[in-house]
Amino acid sequence: MEFSQYNVNTLMEITSRPDLVFVRGQGSWLEDNTGKRYLDFIQGWAVNCLGHTAPEMLRALNEQAAKLMNPSPAYYNEPSLQLAQRLTQGSVFDRVFFANSGAEANEGAIKLARKWGKVNRNGAYKIITMDHSFHGRTLATMSASGKPGWGTMFAPQVDGFPKANLNDLDSVHKLIDAQTVAVMLEPVQGEGGVIPATTEFMQGLRKLADQHGILLIVDEVQTGMGRTGTMFAYQQFGITPDIMTLGKGIGGGVPLAALLARQDVSVFSHGEQGGTYNGNPLMTAVGVAVFDVLNAPGFLDSVQARGRQLSEGLFKLSAKWGMHGERGAGLLRALVMDRDDGPAIVDAARKLEPQGMLLNAPRGNLLRFMPALNVTEQEIDLMLKTLDGVIAAMRG
């Protein structure tokens, strides 16, 4: 089907999209309306942790769809209980609230922290977040985010989100006052440029939170579910957070997210949190299937191995072309370039023939890589070789 036959004007204009329509995908590959294939190293912005049309997810969807899709969150259902048990047994948290998106999970974390502040800290409501952070696109999560310009985009913004600097403990300490209820951060800033928090900083935040009687919230919407080489990124820092949010990879491509908290932080009263589709059995059945694949013996070891391969390959490319290195954790990585040609590289890679490649440039001088967690050694080698060719064609 030709692109001109699609009435794309029926969709609201929210971003610039290329003139192609994806029609099918499998593993690390997508196919568009002309039959052209693309090696996908975006995977829905780290959403498709098992790649496209993962067989485990298909089985879970088909089996659950034939049994029960949505009895209402006013009642218990088996898959949501199964997934909640897996998440709590595999983490330091005791309670789970299922949501539909990472932004909704983060909105829930903000509400829970403020409710906890009302109960335990005389109505304290401020949540210290980080400059250049990204927590979602609702009004509250945009206000919490440190993305430039977001504070005034839909003014007035939601009050109560002073900004500190990642890996600068003093900048956090200076912002704490009687109205502070929590510190919230991504263990690796994704949109901010794939910048990992240091172990010293994370452990310092935990101590600081304990000293002042406030909460530590980790936004693991992008880093959770194996993305950084462990099931949850906080596990690499030797800390116990009070609240954690998950999204993206938890559903492997279906709309699913989660808010997790320790028992003594779970202070919602009836009616204060909910949602029509939250925790529905169709989505949580997929979540169970995804969790079980990630938790299988050897899977996360493979993620770590592929992460090392990708890191080493990007470092070699950086050295070859005089760039500024690479950074990240597991299979969330970035190539830091010496000039602002990231968007041009993304465009050229997509237009390659006979096969294209999908990359992401969150900043002009940065390429971000978020492949499926089961990406193969050969696919990483192919991506690196293809990227080298694109750079060579652009730079002569």
Side-chain angles (χ1 to χ4, degrees):
M1 188 168 171
E2 295 296 324
F3 180 77
S4 60
Q5 294 177 268
Y6 293 95
N7 186 4
V8 297
N9 292 325
T10 55
L11 294 178
M12 191 173 290
E13 187 73 15
I14 59 163
T15 189
S16 175
R17 297 183 174 104
D19 290 348
L20 58 88
V21 178
F22 286 121
V23 296
R24 62 182 57 86
Q26 185 170 16
S28 291
W29 294 86
L30 278 170
E31 183 179 321
D32 72 13
N33 54 293
T34 69
K36 179 179 174 180
R37 299 175 75 233
Y38 302 77
L39 180 60
D40 185 4
F41 265 63
I42 300 176
Q43 290 291 348
W45 281 269
V47 168
N48 308 321
C49 60
L50 301 181
H52 298 283
T53 58
E56 300 89 350
M57 293 174 59
L58 289 176
R59 282 196 296 270
L61 277 169
N62 288 329
E63 291 174 6
Q64 188 59 46
K67 292 192 290 188
L68 180 65
M69 292 192 193
N70 186 19
S72 159
Y75 308 100
Y76 296 115
N77 70 76
E78 286 185 348
S80 68
L81 294 171
Q82 292 166 352
L83 182 54
Q85 183 173 352
R86 282 164 168 77
L87 291 170
T88 53
Q89 289 181 342
S91 71
V92 297
F93 303 99
D94 306 299
R95 297 280 186 163
V96 182
F97 169 79
F98 289 114
N100 307 297
S101 69
E104 188 182 356
N106 282 336
E107 189 92 10
I110 292 166
K111 289 171 61 178
L112 182 60
R114 288 188 170 188
K115 174 64 186 293
W116 185 88
K118 182 178 181 180
V119 172
N120 295 284
R121 277 184 61 81
N122 299 316
Y125 68 98
K126 293 180 183 177
I127 299 175
I128 299 170
T129 57
M130 303 296 138
D131 197 19
H132 302 295
S133 61
F134 182 89
H135 297 293
R137 296 179 183 274
T138 66
L139 284 175
T141 55
M142 286 184 73
S143 300
S145 299
K147 193 168 181 175
W150 276 31
T152 57
M153 191 177 294
F154 298 103
Q157 68 183 91
V158 178
D159 186 33
F161 298 101
K163 304 296 186 294
N165 299 318
L166 187 70
N167 295 326
D168 182 351
L169 200 61
D170 286 342
S171 72
V172 179
H173 189 253
K174 290 175 182 176
L175 292 174
I176 296 175
D177 60 25
Q179 295 301 308
T180 303
V181 71
V183 178
M184 180 178 183
L185 80 161
E186 306 155 271
V188 180
Q189 288 189 342
E191 287 289 310
V194 191
I195 305 172
T198 65
T199 298
E200 180 183 19
F201 183 65
M202 294 294 280
Q203 292 184 352
L205 286 180
R206 180 68 272 176
K207 292 178 181 176
L208 203 59
D210 289 341
Q211 290 169 2
H212 291 271
I214 61 177
L215 304 176
L216 178 58
I217 305 170
V218 287
D219 173 353
E220 296 228 26
V221 169
Q222 187 162 147
T223 59
M225 305 309 295
R227 176 56 56 182
T228 65
T230 52
M231 188 64 80
F232 311 113
Y234 81 81
Q235 294 169 327
Q236 300 174 34
F237 299 103
I239 63 167
T240 300
D242 301 295
I243 297 172
M244 177 174 71
T245 56
L246 298 172
K248 295 184 183 288
I250 189 176
V254 304
L256 181 64
L259 162 64
L260 294 86
R262 294 189 296 103
Q263 176 64 42
D264 59 348
V265 181
S266 301
V267 292
F268 279 140
S269 298
H270 289 189
E272 292 182 339
Q273 185 69 337
T276 306
Y277 302 107
N278 295 32
N280 74 77
L282 192 60
M283 299 301 101
T284 50
V286 176
V288 169
V290 169
F291 185 97
D292 287 349
V293 172
L294 301 185
N295 201 46
F299 187 91
L300 292 176
D301 292 335
S302 178
V303 172
Q304 293 170 19
R306 297 286 71 76
R308 288 191 295 270
Q309 178 193 358
L310 179 56
S311 174
E312 291 166 4
L314 292 174
F315 184 79
K316 289 177 182 177
L317 274 181
S318 173
K320 177 179 179 179
W321 294 104
M323 297 177 180
H324 299 311
E326 71 84 38
R327 63 189 180 218
L331 284 172
L332 175 60
R333 312 210 71 88
L335 177 64
V336 186
M337 296 179 293
D338 57 321
R339 59 187 79 168
D340 290 339
D341 53 4
I345 290 174
V346 168
D347 193 53
R350 189 185 67 252
K351 292 178 179 178
L352 287 172
E353 296 289 350
Q355 294 181 158
M357 185 167 70
L358 303 180
L359 302 174
N360 170 246
R363 296 190 174 194
N365 69 334
L366 203 78
L367 292 177
R368 179 169 49 167
F369 305 86
M370 303 162 282
L373 299 186
N374 53 5
V375 65
T376 67
E377 182 178 356
Q378 294 75 23
E379 287 165 342
I380 289 179
D381 283 341
L382 176 60
M383 186 281 294
L384 292 167
K385 180 180 179 181
T386 304
L387 178 57
D388 186 34
V390 171
I391 296 171
M394 292 185 60
R395 300 194 175 188

